[in-house]
């Protein structure tokens, strides 16, 4: 099994999506400040050392069964972006 790379967790766009010359958008990692296209940043690990989760103890991402994430997603009005809003429990 391949070891997990340390991902860039928060990126800020520096350019419009694609300019007239077809130049790809550049991004900056808000943690390590590295700049590059999305493909380049996804291929390179982030040099920032993320603190472990206070609930599951994993870093840089929580365990799939993290109780902290599960409890957060049970709160009203909290849902995963890109998925349908959960049905009302009333």
């Amino acid at each position: 099994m391949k070891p997990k790379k340390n991902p860039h967790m928060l990126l800020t766009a520096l350019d419009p999506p694609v300019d007239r010359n077809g130049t790809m958008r550049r991004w900056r990692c808000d943690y390590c400040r590295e700049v590059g296209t999305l493909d380049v940043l996804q291929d390179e690990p982030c040099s920032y050392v993320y603190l472990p989760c206070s609930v599951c103890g994993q870093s840089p991402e929580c365990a799939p069964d993290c109780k902290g994430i599960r409890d957060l997603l049970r709160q009203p009005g909290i849902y995963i972006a890109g998925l349908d809003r959960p049905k009302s429990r009333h």
Side-chain angles (χ1 to χ4, degrees):
M1 186 164 148
K2 223 168 148 180
K4 196 179 212 180
K5 289 192 295 185
N6 194 33
H8 297 279
M9 300 291 263
L10 183 60
L11 300 173
T12 298
L14 300 176
D15 304 313
V18 177
D19 70 13
R20 285 183 269 184
N21 299 321
T23 304
M24 297 303 293
R25 174 183 265 183
R26 292 176 309 133
W27 297 81
R28 181 187 65 236
C29 175
D30 290 351
Y31 288 102
C32 73
R33 313 306 280 176
E34 187 165 339
V35 173
T37 63
L38 196 55
D39 290 342
V40 168
L41 290 176
Q42 287 176 336
D43 286 342
E44 296 296 320
C46 183
S47 60
Y48 183 82
V49 178
Y50 300 98
L51 295 175
C53 171
S54 62
V55 177
C56 72
Q58 289 200 13
S59 175
E61 298 171 343
C62 286
D65 62 346
C66 178
K67 184 181 181 319
I69 298 294
R70 186 178 65 236
D71 291 347
L72 179 70
L73 291 173
R74 287 184 175 158
Q75 294 180 21
I78 303 291
Y79 61 97
I80 299 172
L83 297 180
D84 292 335
R85 288 178 184 254
K87 302 285 186 237
S88 176
R89 297 182 188 169
H90 299 15

